[in-house]
Amino acid sequence: MPEKQYDFNQIEMKWHERWKDGVLFQAEENSAKPKYYVLEMLPYPSGTLHIGHIRNYTIGDALARYKRMRGFNVLHPMGWDAFGLPAENAAIANKRDPYEWTSYNIENMKRQHRRMGFSYDWSREVTTCDPEYYRWNQWFFLKMLERGLAYRKQALVNWCAECGTVLANEQVVDGCCWRHESIPVEQRALEQWFLRITSYADELLSAIKELEAGWPERVLVMQRNWIGRSEGAEIDFHLEGSGKPIRVFTTRVDTIYGATCVILAPEHPLVAELASSDLKPQVKHMIDARAAKGPGDVEKAGLFTGKYAVNPYSGEKIPIWIGNFVLMGYGTGAIMAVPAHDERDFEFCSQYHIAIRPVIRPVDGALADAATIKDAFTDDGIVESSGLYSGLASAEARRVMTAKAVAEGFGKGAVTFRIKDWGISRQRYWGTPIPVVHCAKCGIVPVPEKDLPVVLPLGIAITGKGRSPLENVPEFVNVKCPKCGGDARRETDTMDTFIDSAWYFYRYCDAHNSSAPFDSKKIAYWFPIDQYIGGVEHAILHLIYSRFWTKMMRDLGLITNSEPVERMFTQGMVIKDGAKMSKSKGNVVSADQMIERFGADTGRLFELFAAPPEKEMDWTDAGANGAYKFLSRVYRLVTRNVGAVGGAGEGDRKVQRKLNQTIKKITEDFESRWHFNTSIAALMEFLNLLEEHEKQVSGAVMADVLEKLALLLGPFAPYLAEELWEEQGRQGPLFHQTWPAYDPDLAREEEAEIVIQVNGKVRGRIFVAFGTPREALEKHAIGDAKIAALLDGKQVVKVIVVPDKLVNIVVK
RNA sequence: GCCCGGGUGGCGAAAUCGGCAGACGCAAAGGACUUAAAAUCCUUUUUCCGGCAACGGGAGUGUGGGUUCAAGUCCCACCCCGGGCACCA
């Protein structure tokens, strides 16, 4: 009789049908079982599932299946994020209701996920492009507005001409839009809405310490750099004549006696007052030149104002310059230049022949000579030539000098952050409308909570560029003021969709709540997320926003956790032809092709086998065939041995030993490093051995082996595992079975293989019982005929014995 | 420039605590089965030298040093690749 062949199509479709409406993971709060919340980052509803996504999902899915089999109550939800939709695609948006279009996309995507056999809890699906979700975004916005965490101001903001909208600082990559990597971002002065993320800057930074155990270091480093805290002082220099203060920020007050000029950013408000009318065009040119050059290296340039400032400590009069390297957006937009102790100031002052005056000497060295100085000395040291502060150590001088500034009212200690407030206004159609109206009489008036959600009007024309398309929709824009009842205009900016992703995982826990964003009790049960999985590209975007949002919600009294994610795993990107695979690049390899050819099980098995998950991976489908071959062999082996009489049992011990070793290996891989590639290699080794000894295994042992084999396969090839489980006549689903335990005694090899080295080179090997004492091993090794021959005529200097492992004989 | 990763066969990789380098797989070559092909199975496959062969010997984890009985693994210096930050005062 011919063997049954592995027909993945038939098997996968069968289980696909059975699982279609069933929820495999139904997770309940207050279960007696330990909870486990695993989440893959940001599923996108548009387009097709591509290999990069598959990688993301399979890691989380395999982990969730494993945890469930270990008795954990697993919340492994599927949700949808609004961004990534063809939102700005006029042709589509003009014709469709965005909400309907979203559900259409989601249904498509869901079908594909089901086809892949992913085990999400479908009952918890969350759609962020949905009036119900908008309601809660708007609700949060109003809460923040009340508390001054949301505000509107005129500011220089990033503008992407291609998107036709403003972007947050975090969304600018190398001076370009994160979605259009070759389009430089312009600076525009606009009235915009901001969230005061800076009021959490200190906590966002200090709490990083608590994340160190579970987050990748590189993500934390990126966040630290991004937040960029620096401690120093703000000091007023005084304009000669009027005495008007010019406030500078410095981290090195101790060097202030070495300050030889004050430099203003070209955009600094004082420039208008100080610069002569001949100078003003040059200043404008300086600003334009810098903008045109982009963020790369712009050569330093300066303009002398002809005015002077007075150093509040020394009373010295120093020139005021305008410098293109001074940033208006950081500190106070003005600096004191200390060329002897700052590399940038050194470069600038050398270029313009401004005096260089050393005032700090190394602890064990001498003060540099102003005439011959070649480099700035930027370390702390001993303060010199600085009046009554001379002789103090830098740190002490900073303390004393700051205290003096405070006492005399010309300065203070100050902390400056690099992170700025989160600009959330977007001039897009597709996003949560910002729930305020502008009334000529009452100013900015929040939409009352009872009138939420403010929804998007349908059937509008997407104009594309410049202004929100909502401005052209009179029935949306023209409203009555909620306060005075007079005519008013509705805000037409919509929210950044990163707001949606900042808290979507909270909504998962209570997806259908219509009276609150979620029930706090449910959050208390599930949060923080035990394991989050996603790409590193969100390190300073999504991951920082959601940390901020969590702290904000905590301060509103909604939740008790201060951090959303306990452990974060950043999987390596999938590279295709040298470029990161992504929708915007369009270099996507669709999973459909692989599913069609080899099936979903093969696809995910191959994907996990190709490389450890944290590693970047070059996409190639060469080798998928190997995974398919492996599954076919498993299928044939199981089906031909189910219910077979079995052999005499002389192979039992060998097979059982390897089985227990395999269970041990895979269990350890799941518990610690998630190197699924080695888990799968172990399964392959086991299959190789089992096939070799198939005929010598007794029926009883074979039955046990086949059961365990199906269970071990479960997280990697769920359809096939389920089929094999049923094939063996066992009660399903396999998914709810217990993960197999291993017996350490059965896993142990009978004999230890001892490597014998002579001068560190392997010269032979012997088999001995485990636990053979050192002396016996040494004797055994030296007595070995081959070794004895090598030792002949040599003098044994030393013998190293590592029990159960090796003997190394050192000779002369 | 600074801060993280990384560099191992033709390829993807393994070696988890300093103890046999290359597990597992791909590709390739040869063979079995077949009218043929596919599928399947078997053999070889880091490299060099010797041997008909079993086998024996040398070299080998980016480069150069070092520690050690023993180094892919630890230390020092350097080269290359990837990523992040970069006038942040």
Side-chain angles (χ1 to χ4, degrees), chain A residues 216-281:
Chain A
E217 195 196 331
R218 59 177 170 156
V219 172
L220 298 180
V221 167
M222 283 163 76
Q223 292 207 356
R224 276 198 193 98
N225 288 343
W226 184 258
I227 297 167
R229 181 182 199 275
S230 57
E231 219 168 299
E234 288 180 7
I235 301 293
D236 291 333
F237 282 66
H238 295 277
L239 193 57
E240 189 199 24
S242 74
K244 189 170 185 170
I246 306 172
R247 179 152 284 212
V248 304
F249 174 73
T250 177
T251 55
R252 295 295 303 271
V253 204
D254 55 312
T255 65
I256 200 163
Y257 280 78
T260 51
C261 65
V262 164
I263 310 176
L264 305 177
E267 300 89 350
H268 195 282
L270 259 182
V271 168
E273 187 179 319
L274 296 186
S276 64
S277 49
D278 329 339
L279 208 56
K280 277 180 183 151

Side-chain angles (χ1 to χ4, degrees), chain A residues 398-439:
Chain A
R398 283 196 287 271
R399 207 179 55 73
V400 177
M401 293 168 90
T402 305
K404 178 185 164 84
V406 173
E408 298 186 9
F410 64 80
K412 59 172 190 185
V415 173
T416 299
F417 289 95
R418 184 184 183 282
I419 192 171
K420 304 220 195 68
D421 280 336
W422 177 12
I424 57 153
S425 284
R426 295 293 178 275
Q427 291 71 44
R428 291 183 201 274
Y429 169 57
W430 210 296
T432 308
I434 292 174
V436 299
V437 301
H438 299 273
C439 170

Side-chain angles (χ1 to χ4, degrees), chain A residues 552-588:
Chain A
M552 180 273 290
M553 293 197 299
R554 177 201 61 198
D555 292 348
L556 291 179
L558 293 175
I559 58 173
T560 54
N561 54 301
S562 290
E563 288 289 338
V565 173
E566 201 156 282
R567 282 192 302 276
M568 170 78 211
F569 184 88
T570 48
Q571 101 277 16
M573 287 184 295
V574 178
I575 311 288
K576 166 86 172 141
D577 303 327
K580 170 183 132 188
M581 272 209 337
S582 73
K583 284 196 312 294
S584 53
K585 293 247 171 59
N587 60 345
V588 166

Side-chain angles (χ1 to χ4, degrees), chain A residues 292-309:
Chain A
K293 264 282 180 69
D297 33 8
V298 176
E299 272 174 39
K300 283 192 176 50
L303 298 163
F304 179 43
T305 60
K307 306 287 195 311
Y308 291 85

